[in-house]
Amino acid sequence: MSFIEITEPSVLIRISKAYGVKMSKDELYNSSRGRWKLNKTIANNAELAIIIHKGIVREVYKIFKWQPATKDSGLNISGDFDGRFEFIGEPAPKNIREKYNKKSVKHYFVKGNSNPINYINLK
């Protein structure tokens, strides 16, 4: 598995329990786009949401906007949504998806860090 250098302003999102290898494209999008505790000011500058499972990129989305997450967001989950956000987007262009999909990004996460969100090329 090759490591990849991410060059675009991106939010890396780890979805350990929410990922299934047989998920449809819609299921993957809906399970990965929402209910995140993050710094919205920083996330607003991201172009891409890069979805990670076990250190490997599973999908890349172009972000249109971040909005507060609610139980009415179509995410089929329950819980406290206060201070949590979801992105609205679409699959990134083919060349971007091919650049990152199935590549390792383990080097972007510090061992022992359980935070599912990581900001790359953002301040």
Side-chain angles (χ1 to χ4, degrees):
M1 187 70 46
S2 60
F3 290 94
I4 188 76
E5 186 70 27
I6 297 171
T7 56
E8 297 83 2
S10 303
V11 176
L12 274 58
I13 302 173
R14 292 192 284 191
I15 58 164
S16 58
K17 295 176 185 164
Y19 181 74
V21 292
K22 295 184 180 182
M23 295 176 92
S24 71
K25 290 180 181 186
D26 287 341
E27 288 171 326
L28 179 58
Y29 173 70
N30 284 324
S31 69
S32 58
R33 73 181 183 92
R35 77 203 176 278
W36 303 110
K37 282 202 175 237
L38 50 76
N39 183 322
K40 189 172 179 251
T41 302
I42 294 173
N44 277 337
N45 294 314
E47 296 173 9
L48 303 175
I50 300 178
I51 309 308
I52 314 299
H53 180 254
K54 294 189 176 180
I56 307 300
V57 176
R58 303 302 176 176
E59 190 55 88
V60 183
Y61 298 102
K62 178 170 178 43
I63 300 170
F64 297 138
K65 69 176 183 174
W66 288 93
Q67 64 186 22
T70 69
K71 64 182 177 184
D72 298 325
S73 299
L75 295 174
N76 195 26
I77 55 173
S78 60
D80 181 14
F81 296 91
D82 214 23
R84 294 180 180 267
F85 297 91
E86 65 187 23
F87 70 87
I88 303 298
E90 68 181 15
K94 183 179 179 182
N95 65 318
I96 297 292
R97 293 173 68 232
E98 288 176 349
K99 177 180 175 183
Y100 294 122
N101 275 342
K102 299 181 183 166
K103 303 289 189 326
S104 175
V105 291
K106 292 178 184 178
H107 57 291
Y108 283 105
F109 293 94
V110 176
K111 187 174 182 174
N113 179 358
S114 61
N115 188 343
I117 302 294
N118 196 358
Y119 307 104
I120 305 299
N121 302 321
L122 292 167
K123 292 184 180 184

